[in-house]
Amino acid sequence: MRQAGCTLVLTALVLGLTSAPAFAERNLVPTLDRSFDVCPDRPAEPNWIQEIPLRQAYQRVLVQDIYRAQNLERIIETESCDCEIRFPSWDAAEAEFHEQHASDERWKMLEASDAYNQRANDVRLEAKAICETAGNW
């Protein structure tokens, strides 16, 4: 009798534990919809960048790095953190990628990515201070 009671308790416990995660997971499903607290109307990445095959993701990263470096430098040059300064169209980053890097080999694009990241990191704190003052960080 005692063994039957233990079996019943263990079965109830197992059923309770296995059903709980399924219920909890529903709230953890990520969405692809992006919403931003700062400058919510920022332009989306161009479609061609989003459609780069996974094996060439380093190209997408390079365009994103160019965009970030240009934007942080622009904030400092203009001493403004208006949304159109901080998040302009992707045209300048696309142009720089196509003019200077599109025909590069993978290793050269990775080096360029590092260089753009360094440029961005060099000015990040100064740009951040300007943007915090404007309430756009």
Side-chain angles (χ1 to χ4, degrees):
M1 184 71 151
R2 183 170 183 215
Q3 188 176 11
C6 284
T7 303
L8 184 60
V9 169
L10 283 174
T11 304
L13 183 62
V14 168
L15 288 175
L17 290 176
T18 57
S19 64
F23 176 73
E25 286 176 12
R26 281 186 272 191
N27 295 329
L28 300 175
V29 175
T31 66
L32 296 177
D33 297 333
R34 294 178 58 169
S35 62
F36 302 100
D37 293 333
V38 174
C39 300
D41 295 329
R42 55 183 84 173
E45 283 183 345
N47 286 335
W48 73 269
I49 295 173
Q50 295 175 4
E51 294 170 358
I52 291 174
L54 186 58
R55 292 180 74 85
Q56 286 129 6
Y58 56 90
Q59 294 175 2
R60 181 178 185 180
V61 171
L62 176 55
V63 178
Q64 292 169 337
D65 291 341
I66 293 169
Y67 183 78
R68 178 174 171 252
Q70 287 177 342
N71 298 349
L72 291 174
E73 290 168 346
R74 190 177 301 106
I75 290 167
I76 293 168
E77 289 168 10
T78 63
E79 295 184 11
S80 171
C81 195
D82 293 340
C83 290
E84 358 6 283
I85 301 292
R86 185 160 180 213
F87 298 106
S89 77
W90 285 78
D91 294 345
E94 285 182 276
E96 189 161 333
F97 173 79
H98 287 299
E99 291 168 9
Q100 296 184 23
H101 305 289
S103 62
D104 288 350
E105 293 182 36
R106 179 181 180 273
W107 66 270
K108 201 151 170 123
M109 286 191 192
L110 294 174
E111 283 183 348
S113 245
D114 285 344
Y116 285 106
N117 272 322
Q118 187 59 53
R119 279 176 48 186
N121 290 338
D122 288 346
V123 297
R124 182 181 181 279
L125 292 178
E126 190 176 348
K128 181 180 179 187
I130 294 168
C131 289
E132 283 179 332
T133 300
N136 267 349
W137 190 257

